[in-house]
Amino acid sequence: MKDYYGILEVNEKASQEIIEKAYKTLVKKYHPDLYSSVEKREAEKKLKEINEAYNILSDSFLRSQYDLELQKERTRVQTSQNTSRENNQNYQQTITRQRNENISGNKRKKKKTEYVRNKSNVGTIFGLVDLVKDLWANKPEKTERRKMNQTDWLAIGLTIVALLIIGVILWFIPFTNGWMRQLLFENPIFNFIGGLFS
């Protein structure tokens, strides 16, 4: 809602004479003929607002209607500010209560770490890597390890099977056979592992 009193630079309780005097002063100040082409457009816009404000505030009926609407708008804004202030206070109280509960809960017993997995990676190599990282970082207790459900173990098994199948396929493709032989028979790590089993 436009602030017509602000546009005319008068108080809300200003008399008709003061409003008329302010209007005449502003019309002289923002008359478009006093400005260059760029500033002229701004002066025209300002003069249009001044005329609109004067038309409302100079008519006693329209002014009383405008004052009622202005009061309703202020009440609405005040109510919304009070509501948002109350919501903010409630939010702060909730946060404080949760912190206090967490602190008291931590004093009573140590917070257990939970195994969390990324469901989008289940059944992939990345899922297996994430699982190992989580298990290593959190080092869950035996009871928590038991919580790992069947889908986790199935994902680990399927990942291992998929890696073995990919290895076999690569072994029988002529283009990659030489690379696989080099990896398996000339790699010191695989030679060491093979030495352990022989």
Side-chain angles (χ1 to χ4, degrees), residues 81-105:
Q81 286 175 348
N82 289 342
T83 304
S84 85
R85 204 173 295 130
E86 288 173 9
N87 288 342
N88 192 16
Q89 288 173 350
N90 290 340
Y91 174 74
Q92 292 298 331
Q93 289 171 355
T94 304
I95 294 296
T96 305
R97 192 176 338 109
Q98 287 176 349
R99 275 193 201 131
N100 292 340
E101 288 172 2
N102 285 342
I103 289 170
S104 65

Side-chain angles (χ1 to χ4, degrees), residues 5-38:
Y5 292 106
I7 292 171
L8 290 181
E9 300 173 6
V10 294
N11 192 329
E12 291 181 18
K13 298 185 181 191
S15 65
Q16 289 295 333
E17 293 83 28
I18 293 174
I19 289 173
E20 192 168 333
K21 197 179 280 187
Y23 169 72
K24 288 179 181 178
T25 305
L26 291 172
V27 166
K28 287 178 186 175
K29 182 178 177 182
Y30 291 104
H31 198 279
D33 292 341
L34 300 174
Y35 296 95
S36 65
S37 61
V38 175

Side-chain angles (χ1 to χ4, degrees), residues 132-156:
V132 171
K133 280 182 185 176
D134 287 341
L135 290 175
W136 182 259
N138 294 333
K139 295 182 184 171
E141 297 174 10
K142 288 182 181 179
T143 55
E144 290 177 353
R145 282 191 206 128
R146 285 188 205 132
K147 286 182 185 176
M148 289 175 48
N149 56 23
Q150 292 176 334
T151 56
D152 294 329
W153 293 112
L154 182 65
I156 292 170

Side-chain angles (χ1 to χ4, degrees), residues 49-174:
E49 288 180 347
I50 291 167
N51 284 328
E52 181 182 348
Y54 179 72
N55 287 336
I56 297 293
L57 297 181
S58 64
D59 185 312
S60 59
F61 176 75
L62 292 177
R63 182 176 180 183
S64 64
Q65 293 292 86
Y66 173 74
D67 288 341
L68 283 173
E69 288 298 318
L70 192 62
Q71 187 60 37
K72 284 180 187 177
E73 180 70 23
R74 286 184 182 153
T75 305
R76 197 177 314 124
V77 168
Q78 185 67 30
T79 305
S80 71
Q81 286 175 348
N82 289 342
T83 304
S84 85
R85 204 173 295 130
E86 288 173 9
N87 288 342
N88 192 16
Q89 288 173 350
N90 290 340
Y91 174 74
Q92 292 298 331
Q93 289 171 355
T94 304
I95 294 296
T96 305
R97 192 176 338 109
Q98 287 176 349
R99 275 193 201 131
N100 292 340
E101 288 172 2
N102 285 342
I103 289 170
S104 65
N106 286 341
K107 287 179 182 175
R108 276 187 246 124
K109 61 179 180 176
K110 253 185 155 180
K111 189 177 179 184
K112 291 184 178 179
T113 57
E114 283 188 29
Y115 163 70
V116 178
R117 66 186 165 94
N118 184 353
K119 291 183 180 179
S120 64
N121 287 340
V122 172
T124 65
I125 295 173
F126 298 114
L128 181 62
V129 171
D130 288 344
L131 176 66
V132 171
K133 280 182 185 176
D134 287 341
L135 290 175
W136 182 259
N138 294 333
K139 295 182 184 171
E141 297 174 10
K142 288 182 181 179
T143 55
E144 290 177 353
R145 282 191 206 128
R146 285 188 205 132
K147 286 182 185 176
M148 289 175 48
N149 56 23
Q150 292 176 334
T151 56
D152 294 329
W153 293 112
L154 182 65
I156 292 170
L158 287 175
T159 304
I160 292 170
V161 168
L163 289 173
L164 289 173
I165 290 172
I166 290 171
V168 169
I169 291 171
L170 290 175
W171 181 268
F172 288 107
I173 295 175

